[in-house]
Amino acid sequence: MRVHLESVHRSYRVRRPPETGGRLGRLFRRVSSEVEALKGVDLRVDEGEAVGYIGLNGAGKSTTMKLIAGILTPTTGRVTVDGRDPHADRRRLSARLGYLAAQRASLWWDLPVKDSYELLRRVYDIEPAVFRRRREHLVDRLGIGRYLDTPVRELSLGNRTRAELVGTLLHAPRLLLLDEPTIGLDIFAREAICGVLRDLRQDTAPTVLVASHDLRDVEAICDRIVMIDDGRLVHDGKIDELRALGGGRRTLVIHHAAGHQLPLLPGPAHVEERTGMITTYGFTQGELPGELLAALFADPRVDDVRIEAPSLESLIKGMYLEGA
């Protein structure tokens, strides 16, 4: 499924206590103001693409997701999913849409997990044999078989999120919206979810939009990154292209014995950090001669030598700081 946003603005009216005046007045009076969550967003996601949608809190990620899902409508501009208005055609598009949000439950709170799945089967009119096959596969991959008889409200956050993902995928959606799918989860739950989503991309190639603070999720699932800041898109490109923005910058990390005198590095390299047993140099790729690296590896007082490219997180942080 294809997603297209054209010059989308979305505003909210909010009521807050006044900033001035007496305590009693601030308690009972409210001042109305308008907050613009999206400020002219243009975004196109093609069939089968997996896009990471990143930004700070309040940048507009969840608002965009709700517009695509048809939960909200734009103040101005146009949102289409496969050429249709997702709000006007919400019933028709919902059969092909999967929406998982950290703050939004899709399973019935007081029912056992398996009963929620059965209700979803009926809602989406899934053939019983197809339903059983999909459920068994997803339950096994996400490791929640032991919790099928447990009411959703009794599950831990990690197990509830895994159970919610199974419910989201049961009807094999062609458009998958994931809003902070792994927030607050431990490493095992996060890896299980990312593994299922990677396999899903290879097997059925749905269109995927992932809004996340965790860049590990984006790297594991997506090929393209769209960055939003204060309601405006500030970057759109492939992950490899974003990495290329770091140029040839590299970091040499040396773990060594306390007080050990390291050999001199070439002139362009500079010390970025030095502690008692770790020294970090910044340099440009190709500046370090091979014989120097060989000497470091052969030095008995050097425990470890690593050369690291800039992380995706550091590159994005730098972009935010440059735009600040």
Side-chain angles (χ1 to χ4, degrees), residues 10 178 185:
R10 172 66 194 191
L178 305 172
L185 303 188

PDB file of all heavy atoms in Angstrom, residues 10 178 185:
ATOM      1  N   ARG A  10      -1.697  20.083  10.768  1.00  0.00           N
ATOM      2  CA  ARG A  10      -2.654  19.594  11.756  1.00  0.00           C
ATOM      3  C   ARG A  10      -2.497  20.427  13.024  1.00  0.00           C
ATOM      4  O   ARG A  10      -1.415  20.514  13.603  1.00  0.00           O
ATOM      5  CB  ARG A  10      -2.414  18.121  12.072  1.00  0.00           C
ATOM      6  CG  ARG A  10      -3.235  17.591  13.236  1.00  0.00           C
ATOM      7  CD  ARG A  10      -4.738  17.571  12.962  1.00  0.00           C
ATOM      8  NE  ARG A  10      -5.489  17.384  14.202  1.00  0.00           N
ATOM      9  CZ  ARG A  10      -6.789  17.116  14.262  1.00  0.00           C
ATOM     10  NH1 ARG A  10      -7.481  17.004  13.145  1.00  0.00           N
ATOM     11  NH2 ARG A  10      -7.382  16.977  15.410  1.00  0.00           N
ATOM     12  N   LEU A 178       3.700   1.280  13.111  1.00  0.00           N
ATOM     13  CA  LEU A 178       4.233   0.906  14.413  1.00  0.00           C
ATOM     14  C   LEU A 178       4.702   2.162  15.133  1.00  0.00           C
ATOM     15  O   LEU A 178       5.688   2.782  14.742  1.00  0.00           O
ATOM     16  CB  LEU A 178       5.401  -0.075  14.257  1.00  0.00           C
ATOM     17  CG  LEU A 178       5.110  -1.340  13.442  1.00  0.00           C
ATOM     18  CD1 LEU A 178       6.394  -2.124  13.187  1.00  0.00           C
ATOM     19  CD2 LEU A 178       4.091  -2.210  14.158  1.00  0.00           C
ATOM     20  N   LEU A 185      10.657  -1.895  26.684  1.00  0.00           N
ATOM     21  CA  LEU A 185      10.814  -3.351  26.678  1.00  0.00           C
ATOM     22  C   LEU A 185      12.249  -3.755  26.965  1.00  0.00           C
ATOM     23  O   LEU A 185      13.200  -3.014  26.692  1.00  0.00           O
ATOM     24  CB  LEU A 185      10.388  -3.923  25.321  1.00  0.00           C
ATOM     25  CG  LEU A 185       8.970  -3.610  24.846  1.00  0.00           C
ATOM     26  CD1 LEU A 185       8.659  -4.419  23.602  1.00  0.00           C
ATOM     27  CD2 LEU A 185       7.950  -3.887  25.943  1.00  0.00           C
TER      28      LEU A 185
END
